[in-house]
Amino acid sequence: MRKLSVAELEAHHRGPTFTSVLPGHVVQKGGFRVYAEPNFRTHDGEPGRHTHTVPEIFVIVQGDGDVEVEGEVVDKFTAGEAVLFEPGEDHHLISRGSQPLVFVWMHLEPVS
C-alpha cells in the first residue's frame, strides 16, 4: 500500500495513463462511489479476502478514515489523497469522518 497526495502528482495529458502514480500502467476499469454511512467499510459484504491481480487506486474526493491492509489498520486517508494497493493485498477503506465517503476507484494494468 502506498499513499500519495493528489496535489503532488505530476501533470500529464496522455489519456488513461497513470505515469505519475504507477509508471507503465493504464486504467483497466473503474468507478465512482458515495457512501453516506459512518464507519462504512468497503467490500464488507464479500466473503473472504478482497484482493485483485492488478494494482487498484482509490482517489479520495471527500471524507476521511482508515486504510486497512491484511486485516490491520495501517494508515489514515483524507480527501485529496490517492491510496494505491498492490496486487494480492487484502484491502479496505473505513469511513471515520462526519462527511460521506466519496472516491473514484481504478484497476490498473501494465501497458503492453
Side-chain angles (χ1 to χ4, degrees):
M1 189 277 304
R2 287 190 291 151
K3 189 168 66 173
L4 309 148
S5 166
V6 172
E8 295 171 350
L9 297 178
E10 295 177 22
H12 68 282
H13 307 282
R14 297 184 191 107
T17 61
F18 254 96
T19 55
S20 60
V21 175
L22 195 59
H25 285 72
V26 296
V27 176
Q28 178 190 65
K29 65 179 179 176
F32 182 82
R33 299 283 189 267
V34 177
Y35 295 106
E37 305 88 6
N39 300 311
F40 177 83
R41 181 176 180 259
T42 59
H43 321 297
D44 218 14
E46 300 174 10
R49 300 174 76 237
H50 181 82
T51 64
H52 304 284
T53 59
V54 297
E56 182 174 26
I57 187 166
F58 291 82
V59 179
I60 311 302
V61 176
Q62 177 181 283
D64 54 74
D66 296 325
V67 178
E68 182 183 287
V69 176
E70 303 300 337
E72 300 291 326
V73 172
V74 298
D75 207 339
K76 304 263 184 222
F77 68 84
T78 192
E81 293 180 329
V83 182
L84 175 68
F85 294 102
E86 301 295 334
E89 282 187 316
D90 178 29
H91 60 278
H92 302 273
L93 299 180
I94 305 168
S95 177
R96 298 290 189 208
S98 58
Q99 294 184 324
L101 173 58
V102 180
F103 60 83
V104 175
W105 64 271
M106 292 163 273
H107 291 181
L108 307 177
E109 65 182 5
V111 176
S112 5

